[in-house]
Structures are given as structure tokens and as C-alpha cells.
Amino acid sequence: MAEAGSSWDVSQDSSNRQFYFYKGRVALYALLRALRVSPSDEIIVPVYTCPAVIEPIQALGCRAVYCDIEWRTFGLCPERFKSSITNRTKAAIVQHTFGVPSLIDELLSVARWAGISVLEDCCHVCASAYRGKRLGFFGAAAFYSHDWEKPLSVGGGGVAIVNSPSLAESASRLYYSEFEAASFHDEREIIARTAGVAARRLARTYARGLIHRLRSHSQAEQICDRLPMHHAELGSEYQKRMPRSLKYRLRQILLNPRQRISARKWTINRYEAGFRSIGIKCYKEPEDCDVILWRYPLLALDKIRLLQEARECDVRLVDWGATPLRCLSLATSKPNHERRFPTAEEVTSQVVTLCLNERQDDAEVDRTLEFLCKMKKSGFI
């Protein structure tokens, strides 16, 4: 088991191999630029993913090639990955979904065979490891998000960690020549946003059941399988580094992450004890993996009703990762059409995720378990 610690050495300067950006998607955008992708290139991505991953790919004029996943890790299926590679494939994004390591050995073997770069999507990663090695250090580079609700949240920002020396040199030149420091206005916006989130969390604590978190799905419609965006359509955030205030917060967290990791493990263990007592199947981590989950995957028998009940009871069960697949299904919907992504379709129809964080107390865990027990008896889970 890997020793608890930060995902990278925060004592190092950005000029070495780590670079701080305004958002996680901006970090991915910078890595693709450093790889010198062109409009004719293809980037392989899991179809079970976040819309934010697709945005920079399309913005650069590349084609996102969606690939099916496999059940054990919710990550790329190596066989489908290999069959998706063409002579135009430039890179593959290997997503460690919910903090679970993808089948990294098999995927890297295929990537080396094809001569393409692997970028690890570590936006769900807190401190998970594979065979004692931290995720984010297997591919040519990795990118992280530190927005709200992410495992190591500071309210925004993203980081790129570059493992390949040649790519690090290219990324460094790009970072210092084209990405500007966040302005005073950006810093004020971050402070205002942080205050707003804190106020909503306070309201959630003292008025539970009366309010629901607002969720926007407009982005999902914007990134449906459509023509790539022109570069000029990208916001100014795509030229900015991480605000200093967020970088400071992130450094403080990563210098001593043990408290957060321990709190997250406590929450997971507490929930799993409850799952076993009410007959809900616990997630079994893959062999040779030390998994710290970002969200807990649960199998639903009636997903629509379960999520509806969760919203009404203000329980933090959510649907995640289905947007690209739904957009593709709508774009290619035909009677009796062949399923292009059978495993991803099964996952999106059956899996819900339980939000986990370090601030959950006994009362919230007990309330959630009571709700799940009721849903189990109702046949929804």
C-alpha cells in the first residue's frame, strides 16, 4: 500500500514539471498544445466522462474518439482502446474514474505499441495508487481539477504534472510565454465565489430538506457530438494561470494531506459498514490497487425513481458521466440500432454515485443510510 501523501511534490517550482492553471480543463488544453496536436488529430477518450474533458479537444479542432469502458474500473477498455486507434490518433486520455485506477498496465502497453501519448485524467484522484505508485505518474502527463466537490478542492484551479522530459520542456515554454498570471479581478471573483459556496453549505446544514443544490446541464447540450469550436470561442480563462490565493490553499493542503485522506477513509468505511448491514453490495477495488474513492458507485434497480427520491429527500446521490453518451445516442438514434458502447450504456443505466467528502459527520451518514435502507425495501436499489 502506498504511503499517504500528496500526489506531487509541492516544494518544487512550476518550471520543473508542474504547472498551475485556472481550471482543470485548461491544464488539459495546455498539455494538448504542448503535444502539438493539429486539427487532423484524434484524441481517444472514455465515453463515460465529464463534458469539460471534451471542450478543449474540440476547441483545438481535434476529433474526440469515444471509447467504451469496462466494469471493474469504469475506465477505458483495453481491447476497445486498441481497436479505436488509427493513423491519426495522437493521444489517449486515461481517466481514473471515481479515483479507481484504470487498467493502466494494459492501456500503456497498447499506447506504446501504437506510439501515442497517454494523458492521465486525475480529476477524481485524491491519493489512489496502483502497485504502490501514485496515479498521475504512469503516463506522459496528468491533469487535475481542484474545483468545488473535487477530492482536493480549493474552490477552483487545475494542475498539470508532466512526466516526459521532452513534453515538460514544451509545456514549460508554453506556460511562461502564453499563460498570464491571474488578475486582481480574478482573485476577487474567487473570494466572492468561495463566500457564496460557504453560505450555501451553511444554509444546507441548517435548512436541510428545504433547499436543493442548483445544477446546470446547459454545458451538456453545448458539447454534444458537434463541430469543433473555433479557438476564439474559448473564454479568457484558457490563457490564465491559477490565482495566487488558490495556489496557496492547494499548497497548504498538499503539504499535509493525511487528515483529509483519513477523513475520507473514515467516511467510506462508515458507509460500507452500513451497506453490509442493510444488504447493499459494496464496491470491490481491483487487485493491486489502493483506492481512495471520490464518489461511491452503487447499483440501482430503478435509477430514475431512486434519483428522484434522493432529490426530494436532499440525499447526495447523483448521476455522473452520462452526458457524452446521451448526446451521441440522440445524434445517432435509430430503431434497433446497434449499441456502440454496450458497457457504458449499462453503467449509465444502472450506476448512481454517492458523494463523499471529509466534512460528513455521523448524523449525515446515518440519515443517508436510513434513506438507502428505505430505497432497498422499495426495490429501487
Side-chain angles (χ1 to χ4, degrees), residues 49-319:
T49 191
C50 174
V53 173
I54 312 303
E55 185 176 279
I57 296 173
Q58 292 185 325
L60 289 168
C62 299
R63 177 172 175 250
V65 176
Y66 297 102
C67 182
D68 205 1
I69 60 173
E70 51 88 35
W71 264 105
R72 285 174 291 173
T73 67
F74 306 107
L76 282 176
C77 170
E79 292 78 14
R80 295 299 184 97
F81 172 43
K82 186 173 184 179
S83 65
S84 299
I85 295 173
T86 71
N87 58 4
R88 294 188 299 276
T89 305
K90 183 77 171 185
I93 295 175
V94 173
Q95 174 183 278
H96 301 301
T97 312
F98 309 139
V100 179
S102 290
L103 300 178
I104 196 70
D105 285 341
E106 294 93 326
L107 295 170
L108 285 176
S109 177
V110 172
R112 284 192 292 267
W113 165 80
I116 63 176
S117 299
V118 166
L119 304 179
E120 291 179 73
D121 181 348
C122 293
C123 294
H124 298 180
V125 173
C126 174
S128 297
Y130 173 65
R131 292 185 176 175
K133 185 177 179 180
R134 291 287 179 207
L135 301 183
F137 293 94
F138 291 91
F143 60 97
Y144 300 75
S145 172
H146 300 285
D147 213 336
W148 295 113
E149 304 298 336
K150 289 299 190 292
L152 296 173
S153 171
V154 295
V159 175
I161 306 296
V162 185
N163 303 315
S164 164
S166 59
L167 184 59
E169 184 179 348
S170 176
S172 181
R173 286 197 302 268
L174 181 70
Y175 183 76
Y176 289 105
S177 64
E178 297 195 25
F179 289 86
E180 60 188 32
S183 65
F184 177 71
H185 173 75
D186 296 323
E187 297 284 354
R188 283 198 311 173
E189 187 178 278
I190 290 295
I191 293 172
R193 190 190 312 162
T194 302
V197 171
R200 287 194 294 273
R201 284 179 173 170
L202 187 63
R204 183 186 181 92
T205 301
Y206 291 101
R208 189 179 300 278
L210 299 178
I211 62 170
H212 299 292
R213 291 188 306 156
L214 297 176
R215 295 181 178 89
S216 173
H217 299 284
S218 60
Q219 185 184 36
E221 299 174 358
Q222 295 171 3
I223 61 90
C224 275
D225 195 29
R226 61 179 173 81
L227 294 175
M229 296 179 296
H230 189 272
H231 178 85
E233 291 184 43
L234 290 175
S236 60
E237 64 194 33
Y238 275 83
Q239 284 81 47
K240 292 180 181 178
R241 303 177 194 173
M242 182 185 288
R244 288 189 298 272
S245 59
L246 296 186
K247 187 175 179 180
Y248 174 79
R249 287 184 220 165
L250 181 60
R251 284 176 175 268
Q252 296 307 304
I253 290 173
L254 293 178
L255 283 170
N256 185 21
R258 293 176 182 271
Q259 183 176 1
R260 284 199 173 201
I261 295 171
S262 297
R264 187 168 287 271
K265 283 184 174 181
W266 176 90
T267 302
I268 293 170
N269 292 336
R270 181 80 166 75
Y271 272 123
E272 288 189 334
F275 295 160
R276 285 189 286 269
S277 69
I278 59 181
I280 293 177
K281 187 176 181 180
C282 295
Y283 177 73
K284 183 179 180 181
E285 64 183 45
E287 189 178 354
D288 295 327
C289 294
D290 179 18
V291 179
I292 310 295
L293 289 169
W294 169 54
R295 288 180 176 172
Y296 203 104
L298 297 169
L299 287 176
L301 299 177
D302 190 337
K303 183 173 179 177
I304 294 175
R305 288 290 303 277
L306 178 62
L307 291 175
Q308 181 182 351
E309 293 286 340
R311 284 192 295 270
E312 292 176 358
C313 296
D314 197 29
V315 170
R316 302 183 71 193
L317 277 181
V318 298
D319 190 10

Side-chain angles (χ1 to χ4, degrees), residues 339-355:
R339 295 197 304 170
R340 295 171 58 188
F341 312 103
T343 304
E345 289 180 28
E346 289 181 5
V347 169
T348 55
S349 66
Q350 298 177 36
V351 172
V352 296
T353 58
L354 176 63
C355 296

